[in-house]
Each structure stands twice: as C-alpha cells, then as structure tokens.
Amino acid sequence: MIASLEYNNGMKKSIFAIFVVFGFTAFVLLFTKNASAPSDNLIKNTPVKSSSSTFDKQKYSLDTPDSLWWIVNKEHPINPITYAPSDLIVPNIGLRSPNSSESRIRQEAATSLENMVKTAKSQDINLLLVSGYRSYQLQVSVYNGYVQKLGQSGADKVSARPGTSEHQTGMAADLGTTSNQCELDVCFANLPEGKWLVENAYRYGFIVRYPEGKNKITGYDFEPWHFRYVGIELATEMHNQNIQTLEEFFNAIPDHQPY
C-alpha cells in the first residue's frame, strides 16, 4: 500500500514537472515571436525613406540651353557661344549697378531671388545683386582683366574663360550686402549675410556653385558670393543629401581640369 502511494505521488510529481517545462517553453517561444515582430509603434516610427531613391535625375537636361540643370564649366562650354536667355529681367531688389546689363537674370530665378531677399530682410539680413547675366562679349573683357592682373593660370582659378561662364546662362547671381562689405571676397562667407545664405539659399532654389575645398571638381576657387539657381526641387535634394556641387550630384566629376 505504501509502495503504491509512493508510486502515485511520483507519477503526479513527474506529470507536474512535464507541465511546468512545457508551459515555460511555450512562454519563451511566444515572447521570442512577439519580440521579433514589429509592433504598431515601431512601424509608425520607421523613418521615411530618403527621396534620393526616387529623385528623377533625368527630369531636365544637363547640356541643353535654358535647362534648369544645365551644367556649364570648363569641360562643358556654352553652345552656341552667342547664347542669350530670352526671359532676362531686372529683379525688384537692391542692385549694385542698376543701369548695368549685369543687373538682369532669368525670370524664374529673379522671382525666387526676390522672395529670398525679402525674407532675409525681415531677419535683418540685407542683400543685393552684384552681378547676374553676363554676355559672351562682356565676359571677354572681364576675363582679360583678370589675366592682366594675375596671369592666365591665376585668372583661370577665379574667372571663367569666355564661353564657359555660368553668368551667361542667366541663372547665376553674385550676391553682396547693401553695405558693400566683402564684395566678391571670400570674407563674405563670414558675414551674417554669407552665413544666412548658406543656411537658407536652397529653400529658394539656389546653391553655392563654387564651395570651399571643391576647386578640383568645379575648377574654381571658393566663391561664397556666387549662387546658381537650379530650382527648389534640386537645391533641396542636394541639401538633404549633403552634396555641394552639380558635378558630384550628377556624377559628372572631371578626371582632371582642362586648365
């Protein structure tokens, strides 16, 4: 009788132990499954995929006159050399030389420039247009002036040879301050106006065309005053990806500068 009771108690203990082990195993499996499965909160908080994967780099031509994304540099000269935009206007902002032909830029760029300057002014940042569109003939004079001062090799670092200047596209704007401080000088980058433009110009479709440290890519020394209008869409995308030059963004970096 005693042996029978001991046997029954042993069986009960064994069955209980089996249930304990089974229950613990089931709990572990359930916990592991839930931990590996994304919760609703995790799905909702997943970062939005970068627009870089869907950005259409072929939306506009890179080598057609009038195109917003027209790349003009030492490797890609303007063709035809007599090109002149048909929609040049004088923007309604401060101008260094109101009667100069360089006070004009293309209409779309002018509208964005007006909005940018207006916003800047509301924040005590006072900007003006130093020079915009420059014809082929005028660029001949500008470039030759630098050659006389610096020699041709020196001139090629700071001025475009005729037929390769972004100013001829009508989408480039040299900007300055109403005080004329640091005009066309690298110290412009340290002024409140220069700093404001670096932080905000992309919102209006402009990029610093010749950034610091990119001379091997762009072919020119740092020009914190030279801005190129490329449209808000592209300027914002370049800002978001932290890509500074058109050559880098469109994989058009030259093997070496031709001069």
Side-chain angles (χ1 to χ4, degrees):
M1 183 66 176
I2 294 175
S4 177
L5 288 174
E6 290 178 347
Y7 175 81
N8 289 335
N9 288 335
M11 285 292 292
K12 290 179 180 179
K13 290 180 179 179
S14 297
I15 293 172
F16 176 78
I18 291 173
F19 275 108
V20 170
V21 172
F22 178 82
F24 178 78
T25 301
F27 172 81
V28 170
L29 290 175
L30 181 61
F31 177 82
T32 302
K33 180 179 180 181
N34 288 338
S36 62
S39 66
D40 289 341
N41 289 334
L42 286 176
I43 293 174
K44 290 178 182 178
N45 293 330
T46 301
V48 177
K49 196 171 184 179
S50 171
S51 60
S52 60
S53 62
T54 58
F55 188 85
D56 184 6
K57 290 187 176 183
Q58 298 181 338
K59 184 174 181 178
Y60 298 107
S61 171
L62 303 181
D63 56 10
T64 301
D66 288 338
S67 172
L68 272 183
W69 299 350
W70 185 15
I71 295 180
V72 172
N73 55 28
K74 293 178 178 180
E75 275 201 331
H76 301 93
I78 289 173
N79 184 24
I81 62 172
T82 56
Y83 168 81
S86 60
D87 59 349
L88 293 170
I89 65 170
V90 177
N92 186 25
I93 62 172
L95 306 169
R96 183 186 68 171
S97 304
N99 297 322
S100 170
S101 62
E102 291 184 84
S103 294
R104 300 172 296 161
I105 58 175
R106 290 188 61 190
Q107 187 170 19
E108 182 177 339
T111 300
S112 286
L113 183 58
E114 290 171 352
N115 291 335
M116 182 169 71
V117 171
K118 181 179 180 181
T119 301
K121 187 176 181 61
S122 70
Q123 299 176 27
D124 295 324
I125 299 295
N126 299 300
L127 300 168
L128 57 72
L129 177 64
V130 176
S131 58
Y133 169 72
R134 195 179 296 151
S135 68
Y136 176 88
Q137 291 76 14
L138 182 53
Q139 188 64 30
V140 169
S141 176
V142 171
Y143 177 76
N144 287 341
Y146 279 105
V147 171
Q148 291 178 3
K149 294 178 183 178
L150 307 173
Q152 187 168 43
S153 61
D156 285 336
K157 296 178 182 179
V158 298
S159 182
R161 292 186 182 184
T164 65
S165 173
E166 273 203 335
H167 283 282
Q168 192 175 340
T169 69
M171 294 184 287
D174 289 339
L175 301 178
T177 72
T178 54
S179 66
N180 298 321
Q181 187 179 4
C182 292
E183 187 171 280
L184 304 181
D185 195 300
V186 291
C187 65
F188 180 73
N190 298 320
L191 297 181
E193 289 81 3
K195 293 178 180 179
W196 188 92
L197 284 167
V198 167
E199 294 179 0
N200 296 281
Y202 77 93
R203 304 177 193 274
Y204 302 89
F206 289 90
I207 62 171
V208 177
R209 185 62 179 96
Y210 307 123
E212 187 173 12
K214 299 290 185 177
N215 55 313
K216 291 184 179 180
I217 294 174
T218 65
Y220 298 102
D221 288 347
F222 179 36
E223 293 190 3
W225 62 86
H226 183 110
F227 287 81
R228 161 68 190 273
Y229 182 75
V230 295
I232 295 175
E233 181 182 23
L234 176 55
T236 300
E237 185 68 19
M238 291 176 67
H239 173 81
N240 290 343
Q241 292 193 47
N242 194 28
I243 297 177
Q244 294 180 293
T245 69
L246 293 175
E247 288 83 0
E248 290 172 297
F249 187 84
F250 289 108
N251 298 317
I253 301 174
D255 294 331
H256 64 279
Q257 291 298 333
Y259 52 85

